[in-house]
Amino acid sequence: MNKELMEALDILEKEKEISKDTLFDAIENSLITACKNHFGKSDNVSVEIDRETCDFRVWVNKEVVADEESVEDQALQITLEEAKAYDKDAEVGGTVKIEIQSKAFGRIATQNAKNVILQKIREEERSVIYNQYYEKEKDVVTGIVQRYIGRNISINLGKCDAILNESEMVKGENYKPTERIKVYILEVKNTTKGPRILVSRTHPELVKRLFESEVAEIADGTVEIKSIAREAGSRTKMAVYSENPNVDPVGACVGMNGTRVNSIVEELRGEKIDIINWDENPGNLIQNALSPAKIVAVFADPDEKTAKVVVPDYQLSLAIGKEGQNARLAARLTGYKIDIKSETQAKDAPGFRYEDYMDEYEEEYDEEYEEGETYDEEYDESYSEEFDQVAKDYEEESEE
């Protein structure tokens, strides 16, 4: 039993996660390559490896010919006299198996065999790493900041390094070597130099995945994140919903005394997070999205995906937010183009007053009234006929 080879294969399988079958195939190919370098040909070479004991044998199959004059290629043919030394029953025209001792290989053949094994190990290692991180694509992982490469950062994910491009960094965040950070895997590419992993700290899905890992109700599907809008490093708005009437989706995300949301805010280095209730009614959803501002009225057009919002005069700046951030995030969250005006501005602005929509309501009311009027006329006619008959009967009784 080849104990040293077995131990080496066990270590490679454990550390590199490369299966023994793949390693055995690599050893077989390396031995065939060594034979080709030693003899010049390997078409008639076969390798046998015992998977249990790691013992291996190399055989060369040669055609038996009558004498030396008949030998055209010594790598493929052997005389009958020489063949009798390996197989007493050898005959001209048949084949004989001759075992080759690997110790007989020269230095160059041995080195080439070694390179074949190493190359196969590298390829399998890259393949294992690629498959491992390809499964984690669109997910959050923890990495260690390694070094700056120009304006980009190399982040160690354990078995390989990822690249955090400058465009995917949060403005104002400083990353120090050996610091642990959570990143969102954008894409995993398989290249000739190994897997290339691109990560992000600005993607909205980073916040979503952090909540999924922190909030059990989101992980098990009780609470659903319907929509999310983010301006990395500043503020995030997130709309949540639960079909279970006994579960408060906002409260579940915030946690007792804000423990859940605070841990995520800490990971995002102070980024503010607004969590609101999702509502199928676009008016209510827009009103929730513009929180903490108070809303007087919302006129939403689901077909055009536009909304006109009226707020108190003193709430206008709060509704719009610093540099328009609150309104901008609310628009991304709801998918509506939002136009906000104060009560004073709305008095003279078309589309911001209830009177602008009264004509439509009156037309709808008139149509309903007209449809009901037909029924009323029929009812009135039947009622009149009954009344006339009762009056006629009463007059006849009086005359009698």
Side-chain angles (χ1 to χ4, degrees), residues 133 142-146 154-162:
Y133 284 97
T142 301
I144 301 174
V145 177
Q146 293 284 90
S154 174
I155 297 177
N156 183 264
L157 301 181
K159 295 185 177 180
C160 65
D161 291 344

